[in-house]
């Protein structure tokens, strides 16, 4: 590998020193809220006897992944608001790239698994307990982790094989595929296509599976009683909200070829920090069982 670049300079979200000080406080609060909120959900689900259905099993994993996911980018970004030169070593950069894709992709798969769980619970209620056993739940979560790992490994290997010999300014606040492709000293057309095919296909396919499952669920609900419909919609409603918040920005970034869009950074803030922060709120505010379990616990 002919990389002569040993470290990259992250340009961050803004070059304005005053804005950076404000953002330091804002994002620090965001990050603390993300970690505390998601930890609360993990602890509540683990320690509550009420929340033992597969839905909450998956929710606790989603919260755990959210903590890891935002921790790959947020602490570095927050610390960088206080320094002038935001450097990151080549190894650190690749590790960050791997982490972002590993946890981000695992999150996508867990959200898809959660939609499948809701589909079975609402559309096949009589078979639900035989189909969704503890073992199956464990296997689905395991498959999500493995899928995320494989996806991330592919992305990271594609980038580590590129030579970086000249410019080392990454126009982003963390190391991601598109900003790094622009710095390579070789044609990245093919790698760019593979990256879009890999990330884009995973995002789009999962999104289509999710949308389809919810359409089927909504059609099935038409024959339910209004009380049953309300209960099902409240659990699905929170899930649909999270899916839209997470997949919208992700699809925007990864479904198109590499380009120098300045909006990319602000869109990325949305799915690396804001969605993981909102998840616990969305799930607890719309879910009576989680709320009562939290009250009991505390």
């Amino acid at each position: 590998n002919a990389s002569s670049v040993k470290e990259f300079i992250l340009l961050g979200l803004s070059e304005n020193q005053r804005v950076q000080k404000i953002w330091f406080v804002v994002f620090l609060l965001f990050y603390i809220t993300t970690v505390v909120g998601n930890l609360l959900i993990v602890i509540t689900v683990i320690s509550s006897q009420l929340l033992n259905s597969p839905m909450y099993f998956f929710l606790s994993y989603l919260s755990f992944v959210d903590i890891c996911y935002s921790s790959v980018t947020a602490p570095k970004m927050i610390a960088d608001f206080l320094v002038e030169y935001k450097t990151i070593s080549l190894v650190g950069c690749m590790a960050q790239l791997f982490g972002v894709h590993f946890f981000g992709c695992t999150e996508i798969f867990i959200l898809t698994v959660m939609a499948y769980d809701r589909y079975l619970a609402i559309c096949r209620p009589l078979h639900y307990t035989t189909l969704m056993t503890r073992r199956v739940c464990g296997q689905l979560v395991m498959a999500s982790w493995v899928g995320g790992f494989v996806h991330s490994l592919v992305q990271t290997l594609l980038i580590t094989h590129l030579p970086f010999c000249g410019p080392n300014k990454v126009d982003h606040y963390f190391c991601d595929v598109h900003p790094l492709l622009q710095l390579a000293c070789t044609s990245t057309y093919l790698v760019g296509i593979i990256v879009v095919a890999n990330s884009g296909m995973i995002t789009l396919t999962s999104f289509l599976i999710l949308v389809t499952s919810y359409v089927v669920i909504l059609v099935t609900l038409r024959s339910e009683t209004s009380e049953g419909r309300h209960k099902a919609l409240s659990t699905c409603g929170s899930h649909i909200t999270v899916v839209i918040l997470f997949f919208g920005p992700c699809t925007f970034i990864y479904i198109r070829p590499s380009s120098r869009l300045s909006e990319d950074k602000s869109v990325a803030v949305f799915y690396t920090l804001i969605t993981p922060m909102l998840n616990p709120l969305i799930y607890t505010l719309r879910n009576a069982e989680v709320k009562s379990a939290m009250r009991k616990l505390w």
Side-chain angles (χ1 to χ4, degrees):
N1 193 347
S3 291
S4 56
V5 173
K6 290 286 172 273
E7 64 173 19
F8 291 103
I9 294 168
L10 297 166
L11 294 183
L13 281 171
S14 162
E15 312 247 327
N16 181 332
Q17 288 295 320
R18 223 163 85 231
V19 172
Q20 290 195 35
K21 298 265 187 311
I22 298 165
W23 278 356
F24 169 76
V25 177
V26 172
F27 284 114
L28 184 61
L29 287 173
F30 277 5
Y31 180 61
I32 292 169
T33 312
T34 304
V35 174
V36 172
N38 283 296
L39 257 181
L40 271 179
I41 286 198
V42 174
I43 294 166
T44 306
V45 173
I46 290 172
S47 55
S48 167
Q49 260 76 56
L50 296 169
L51 308 178
N52 54 7
S53 70
M55 181 166 99
Y56 299 115
F57 174 73
F58 295 132
L59 179 59
S60 66
Y61 270 99
L62 183 73
S63 287
F64 175 68
V65 173
D66 272 333
I67 294 171
C68 301
Y69 185 46
S70 55
S71 298
V72 175
T73 55
K76 169 93 179 110
M77 168 174 84
I78 293 162
D80 279 349
F81 282 134
L82 300 179
V83 296
E84 199 178 335
Y85 293 107
K86 309 166 192 351
T87 56
I88 185 167
S89 68
L90 184 65
V91 176
C93 188
M94 295 307 154
Q96 199 177 40
L97 173 76
F98 180 83
V100 167
H101 282 269
F102 176 42
F103 294 116
C105 190
T106 305
E107 172 141 354
I108 285 177
F109 289 142
I110 289 180
L111 285 169
T112 312
V113 166
M114 287 171 86
Y116 173 65
D117 170 65
R118 290 298 79 211
Y119 160 75
L120 288 181
I122 293 164
C123 303
R124 314 266 307 268
L126 301 173
H127 304 113
Y128 181 65
T129 43
T130 48
L131 288 170
M132 265 294 170
T133 57
R134 284 236 106 140
R135 188 156 165 238
V136 171
C137 292
Q139 286 169 339
L140 286 169
V141 166
M142 197 64 213
S144 300
W145 284 107
V146 172
F149 180 78
V150 171
H151 158 76
S152 186
L153 197 63
V154 172
Q155 298 289 67
T156 313
L157 287 175
L158 283 171
I159 299 294
T160 40
H161 281 298
L162 294 173
F164 296 101
C165 48
N168 67 339
K169 286 188 174 167
V170 179
D171 189 12
H172 214 307
Y173 64 89
F174 68 92
C175 289
D176 201 4
V177 178
H178 289 324
L180 288 172
L181 282 178
Q182 287 156 10
L183 300 180
C185 321
T186 178
S187 165
T188 56
Y189 181 71
L190 191 64
V191 177
I193 288 178
I194 299 172
V195 163
V196 171
N198 184 341
S199 294
M201 280 312 293
I202 289 176
T203 316
L204 197 62
T205 313
S206 303
F207 190 58
L208 291 174
I209 292 171
L210 286 160
V211 171
T212 314
S213 68
Y214 282 116
V215 169
V216 175
I217 287 171
L218 292 173
V219 171
T220 311
L221 284 177
R222 280 170 37 200
S223 56
E224 288 275 330
T225 60
S226 65
E227 192 195 345
R229 201 178 308 154
H230 181 74
K231 190 173 181 223
L233 280 176
S234 76
T235 55
C236 290
S238 47
H239 195 69
I240 292 169
T241 315
V242 169
V243 165
I244 292 168
L245 286 176
F246 188 76
F247 277 87
C250 262
T251 314
F252 173 77
I253 299 271
Y254 294 112
I255 206 78
R256 54 190 175 75
S258 180
S259 66
R260 292 175 185 275
L261 271 185
S262 56
E263 298 89 57
D264 279 13
K265 288 191 275 195
S266 32
V267 172
V269 167
F270 215 83
Y271 63 83
T272 55
L273 197 61
I274 294 177
T275 312
M277 178 181 75
L278 293 177
N279 280 0
L281 283 172
I282 293 167
Y283 280 109
T284 44
L285 292 178
R286 299 200 56 144
N287 192 311
E289 285 177 352
V290 177
K291 271 193 281 199
S292 70
M294 273 195 176
R295 266 193 228 102
K296 277 206 175 98
L297 181 69
W298 303 106

